[in-house]
């Protein structure tokens, strides 16, 4: 059975102090021994070590929101995967819609980062998802196909132990609009079948596909109950312990069923 992953994407939010308080609250909630679900926080780069030190020894892991595809060197403003592993960071979010649409990252850019992060031994959370206009014009599956094909080009099946896919419909991110459980399930099923066709039934079955887009305590359980939803990538609601913890608990309860 696939183990739920509940990941918090803090985006460009928190201060050192507020992030530390949030991390402390989460670390005291998630046990270090055999936690039922995998929990991850992805703070902004300047706070990664502070947050990492706080959650180390708990059941909460920490990851980055981006990385660069080159080895350390003359790349002003970028962060190398070697630096992430150096500070004990184990995961990286790649291809987030804000990086695609605000920072104009292409599938080719994302693919370079995916390959570099995998080489570095990081867990990659590859985000894919359609715009509202693309959904309205029935392009959802075509967009997912393009983003999966582009993002995973040249990635060998052997790397899938390190890969998590996050389906994040862009129209549901930070908008309060959530995909209905049926819409989420349909997209997740498409992605799982994509993995089966492009890789293998075993890889499709073992790979976790997270849902992201306005996940909150009151919709988490219904979304996570869908057969092909294996966790959540949470933005806004991951910034408050009193919202993020109930989402983790929803996943814990469902894992016990
Ligand atoms: P949201 O963001 O939960 O605030 O919609 C999700 C994400 O961007 O990962």
């Amino acid at each position: 059975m696939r183990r739920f992953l509940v990941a918090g994407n803090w985006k460009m939010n928190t201060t050192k102090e507020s992030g530390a308080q949030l991390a402390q609250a989460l670390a005291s909630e998630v046990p270090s021994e055999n936690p039922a679900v995998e929990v991850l926080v992805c703070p902004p780069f300047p706070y990664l070590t502070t947050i990492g030190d706080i959650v180390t020894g708990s059941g909460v892991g920490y990851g980055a929101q981006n990385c660069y595809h080159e080895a350390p060197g003359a790349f002003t403003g970028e962060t190398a995967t070697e630096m992430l592993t150096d500070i004990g960071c184990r995961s990286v979010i790649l291809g987030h819609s804000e990086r695609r649409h605000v920072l104009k990252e292409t599938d080719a850019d994302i693919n370079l980062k995916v390959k570099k992060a995998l080489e570095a031994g990081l867990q990659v959370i590859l985000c894919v998802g359609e715009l509202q206009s693309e959904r309205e014009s029935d392009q959802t599956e075509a967009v997912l196909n393009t983003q999966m094909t582009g993002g995973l080009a040249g990635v060998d099946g052997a790397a899938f132990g390190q890969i998590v896919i996050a389906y994040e419909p862009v129209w549901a991110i930070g908008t309060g609009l959530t995909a209905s459980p049926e819409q989420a399930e349909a997209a997740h099923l498409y992605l799982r079948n994509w993995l089966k066709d492009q890789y293998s039934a075993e890889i499709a079955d073992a790979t976790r596909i997270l849902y992201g887009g306005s996940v909150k305590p009151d919709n988490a359980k219904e979304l996570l109950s869908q057969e092909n939803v294996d966790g959540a990538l949470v933005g806004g609601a991951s910034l408050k312990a009193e919202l993020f913890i109930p989402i983790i608990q929803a996943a814990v309860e469902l894992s016990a069923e």
Side-chain angles (χ1 to χ4, degrees):
M1 197 185 133
R2 296 180 293 266
R3 184 161 163 250
F4 281 118
L5 167 58
V6 178
N9 172 12
W10 294 4
K11 309 193 179 182
M12 198 170 74
N13 291 300
T14 73
T15 61
K16 190 173 161 187
E17 182 55 33
S18 71
Q21 281 173 11
L22 177 55
Q24 255 141 18
L26 301 175
S28 59
E29 194 65 31
V30 185
S32 54
E33 292 294 311
N34 305 316
V37 305
E38 185 178 344
V39 178
L40 184 70
V41 289
C42 300
F45 282 127
Y47 306 141
L48 261 177
T49 36
T50 305
I51 302 304
D53 289 346
I54 292 170
V55 299
T56 296
S58 78
V60 180
Y62 57 107
Q65 301 172 16
N66 185 28
C67 68
Y68 198 53
H69 67 271
E70 293 283 358
F75 301 99
T76 302
E78 296 296 336
T79 304
T81 55
E82 287 82 349
M83 297 168 182
L84 297 179
T85 53
D86 187 28
I87 59 158
C89 187
R90 65 168 201 227
S91 308
V92 62
I93 298 172
L94 292 174
H96 189 275
S97 71
E98 285 143 24
R99 301 231 40 108
R100 291 177 187 269
H101 299 292
V102 183
L103 284 308
K104 306 292 176 209
E105 277 185 18
T106 64
D107 285 314
D109 297 329
I110 295 160
N111 180 242
L112 290 172
K113 296 180 182 199
V114 166
K115 288 191 284 201
K116 183 64 172 62
L118 291 172
E119 246 175 65
L122 290 162
Q123 176 190 57
V124 168
I125 301 178
L126 174 64
C127 304
V128 294
E130 80 287 0
L131 298 165
Q132 175 133 35
S133 56
E134 292 165 338
R135 173 162 284 266
E136 281 164 2
S137 57
D138 253 340
Q139 294 298 299
T140 301
E141 292 185 354
V143 169
L144 296 181
N145 179 38
T146 302
Q147 293 178 347
M148 291 287 281
T149 306
L152 292 170
V155 172
D156 198 75
F160 268 82
Q162 287 168 254
I163 299 175
V164 174
I165 306 297
Y167 170 63
E168 298 208 307
V170 183
W171 48 272
I173 297 179
T175 57
L177 292 175
T178 316
S180 67
E182 296 73 27
Q183 285 173 321
E185 175 60 18
H188 284 232
L189 183 60
Y190 173 79
L191 291 168
R192 197 163 316 278
N193 284 331
W194 189 95
L195 290 171
K196 191 169 154 205
D197 292 345
Q198 302 299 320
Y199 289 93
S200 68
E202 290 71 32
I203 286 173
D205 195 46
T207 302
R208 288 176 296 181
I209 306 175
L210 315 184
Y211 170 77
S214 297
V215 177
K216 298 185 260 324
D218 61 0
N219 61 22
K221 198 153 189 186
E222 212 187 354
L223 287 161
L224 292 172
S225 310
Q226 303 304 308
E227 195 180 331
N228 286 292
V229 177
D230 308 312
L233 181 54
V234 187
S238 74
L239 294 170
K240 291 200 168 107
E242 67 272 24
L243 297 180
F244 196 53
I245 289 169
I247 298 172
I248 298 170
Q249 279 162 350
V252 171
E253 280 162 29
L254 286 166
S255 338
E257 276 175 12

